[in-house]
Amino acid sequence: MLNDRDYGFAHAEGTTVDGAVSGDCQLQVDGIVHGDITVAHVSVGEVGKIEGASKAESVEVHGRVLGSIDAKQVKLLAGCVVEGDISHEQLIIEPGAIFEGRSLRHQRPVAALGPPTMGGVKT
């Protein structure tokens, strides 16, 4: 397991990581990761590939992801391929992106409503 705190971490093209990657960092994936990822931000480059679950505040995919994504903000860019469910608050899918799975919107708690009002006067 790779751990990193507050630093960017780049996974170079032509390299493979077998195992989980976690840390409070930004991760750039240009190689292959076989395992789950839990970081602050994930960017999958055009030749990058993740085989496993990804969890982050934000995820941006140019390459390929085979597994679930759980993030507040997810961007699927033209030419990417994602096979797996995406849990999100905001999902952006550009034309030319391929997404096969379910889109599951995070549920925000709904504020309790007070009694109905009529013209600003409580009824």
Side-chain angles (χ1 to χ4, degrees):
M1 181 184 297
L2 297 176
N3 287 296
D4 203 7
R5 185 178 287 297
D6 300 324
Y7 300 105
F9 179 77
H11 175 55
E13 182 177 349
T15 61
T16 301
V17 172
D18 290 313
V21 178
S22 66
D24 186 16
C25 65
Q26 296 185 18
L27 176 65
Q28 173 68 37
V29 177
D30 291 314
I32 299 171
V33 176
H34 298 284
D36 297 341
I37 294 175
T38 304
V39 295
H41 173 77
V42 178
S43 180
V44 182
E46 291 180 8
V47 296
K49 182 178 181 182
I50 297 173
E51 295 180 357
S54 300
K55 185 171 185 174
E57 287 291 313
S58 63
V59 175
E60 186 173 279
V61 183
H62 298 264
R64 188 173 181 99
V65 175
L66 305 175
S68 64
I69 297 173
D70 185 353
K72 285 184 179 179
Q73 183 181 54
V74 179
K75 291 182 184 178
L76 306 183
L77 297 149
C80 81
V81 176
V82 174
E83 296 178 23
D85 294 343
I86 300 176
S87 298
H88 60 86
E89 285 183 16
Q90 181 182 36
L91 175 61
I92 299 168
I93 303 175
E94 288 187 349
I98 297 171
F99 168 45
E100 186 174 324
R102 295 180 301 162
S103 167
L104 307 166
R105 186 165 170 82
H106 288 167
Q107 296 298 317
R108 293 184 186 173
V110 177
L113 298 175
T117 62
M118 189 169 210
V121 178
K122 290 185 180 182
T123 57

